Amino acid sequence: MLTIASRCWLCQCPLHVTIQGICSLCMKHLPVAPPHCLRCGLPCSGGNDDCGRCLQKPPPWDAMIFASPYEMPVSGLVLRFKFASQPELDTALARLLLLRWQERYRMRNLPRPDVLLSVPLHQKRYFSRGYNQSELLAKPLARWLHCEYLPDALSRDRRTTSQQSLTERERKWNLRKAFTCHVSLRGKHVMLLDDVVTTGSTVREISKILRSQGVASLQIACICRTLQA
C-alpha cells in the first residue's frame, strides 16, 4: 500500500509535520513493551533492570533499545520497509527509535554514541533488494544523535542462509566468521543498529568483534524486538 508523503503511514490522516510519518493519535496506540531487561530486551519480572539471564551470563553489549515489540502495526511497517520496496519509511521508523532512545537516555544515563554502525548485508542480497534497510535507518538517526555514521566499517564476508528459517542454535553457527570490522573503534561509545532482533545471534556475533577491539560501550538498537526467551 502506497502512502502520500504528507499523510500518516498508518491511518492516512494528514500530518502537520510531514517528517514525523506517523500521526500523534496513532503514536498513542502503538504497542507498549512489557517490563523487560534493559540489557537483552526480553521480558522479566523486575523490569527496568538486568534480568537473571544477563546477570549470570551477560551478553557482549551494555544495553538494548527497541522502538516496539515485534507486533502490529510497527512490525507491518518494518515488513513493508524491508520487503515491499518502500525505503521511504526510513525516516518515520528511525524517529520511533530516536524517541525510545531519548527515554532510555534519561532513565539510565546511557552514553551518547560516538559512532553508529549498521548491520551489513551480503553484496548479492544488497543488489537483489536494492538497499540495506539498516543503513537507511542509520543515516537520519546518526544525524539526530550528532554522532558519526560509518557505513563501510562492517562487512558481511560470506552469504549466509536466511536466519528466519533456522533455530537459535543453527543461527549461531550460520553466522560464525561471517563479519569483519575494518576500522579501529577502541575507546569509542558505539551503537549497532539492526531493523529487527529476534534471537540476537546477528548482533551477538558482531558485538564479539567490537568488544575484542576494546570499545568503551556498546548499545544495540533496533526497530522491533521479538519478546521471547
Side-chain angles (χ1 to χ4, degrees):
M1 183 177 66
L2 298 177
T3 187
I4 300 174
S6 59
R7 293 184 178 272
C8 173
W9 280 98
L10 295 175
C11 70
Q12 296 295 298
C13 287
L15 294 170
H16 292 293
V17 181
T18 302
I19 195 173
Q20 292 180 349
I22 300 175
C23 71
S24 57
L25 183 61
C26 287
M27 287 286 291
K28 291 179 181 178
H29 291 88
L30 293 181
V32 178
H36 59 278
C37 172
L38 297 184
R39 187 151 188 174
C40 70
L42 294 176
C44 65
S45 57
N48 298 332
D49 207 346
D50 289 356
C51 65
R53 294 179 294 265
C54 290
L55 290 174
Q56 293 180 7
K57 190 177 180 180
W61 58 78
D62 301 298
M64 179 175 290
I65 303 97
F66 56 94
S68 168
Y70 192 78
E71 299 175 9
M72 293 293 286
V74 181
S75 60
L77 292 179
V78 170
L79 291 175
R80 290 164 62 186
F81 175 54
K82 191 172 181 178
F83 298 116
S85 298
Q86 292 188 310
E88 59 271 22
L89 269 161
D90 57 351
T91 303
L93 292 174
R95 178 175 175 269
L96 292 181
L97 185 52
L98 173 70
L99 295 175
R100 185 66 65 207
W101 184 89
Q102 289 173 332
E103 290 179 7
R104 288 287 301 277
Y105 177 77
R106 291 189 294 267
M107 181 191 308
R108 197 165 177 174
N109 196 28
L110 290 176
R112 184 177 294 274
D114 303 312
V115 173
L116 197 154
L117 307 176
S118 54
V119 172
L121 291 179
H122 188 270
Q123 191 175 39
K124 289 185 177 180
R125 187 163 294 169
Y126 182 94
F127 287 149
S128 65
R129 183 171 297 166
Y131 56 90
N132 178 353
Q133 67 280 357
S134 297
E135 182 177 320
L136 294 183
L137 293 168
K139 289 178 180 178
L141 189 61
R143 186 171 67 252
W144 296 331
L145 292 176
H146 305 289
C147 66
E148 184 179 12
Y149 173 49
L150 301 178
D152 300 319
L154 298 171
S155 65
R156 190 184 292 246
D157 301 327
R158 59 182 178 85
R159 192 175 187 181
T160 54
T161 304
S162 174
Q163 293 284 89
Q164 293 176 325
S165 60
L166 303 179
T167 65
E168 182 175 359
R169 181 181 179 85
E170 290 170 336
R171 288 175 184 233
K172 292 178 181 178
W173 282 100
N174 186 45
L175 294 167
R176 284 176 63 86
K177 299 182 180 180
F179 302 99
T180 300
C181 183
H182 303 281
V183 298
S184 175
L185 298 169
R186 179 172 297 277
K188 300 287 188 179
H189 296 288
V190 178
M191 174 182 284
L192 176 62
L193 176 63
D194 203 358
D195 56 342
V196 176
V197 170
T198 304
T199 64
S201 299
T202 301
V203 294
R204 183 180 297 272
E205 190 67 21
I206 297 174
S207 295
K208 291 177 182 177
I209 298 171
L210 300 178
R211 281 298 189 193
S212 69
Q213 286 204 355
V215 297
S217 69
L218 179 58
Q219 303 170 41
I220 305 299
C222 59
I223 303 301
C224 288
R225 173 66 159 120
T226 301
L227 300 183
Q228 59 185 22

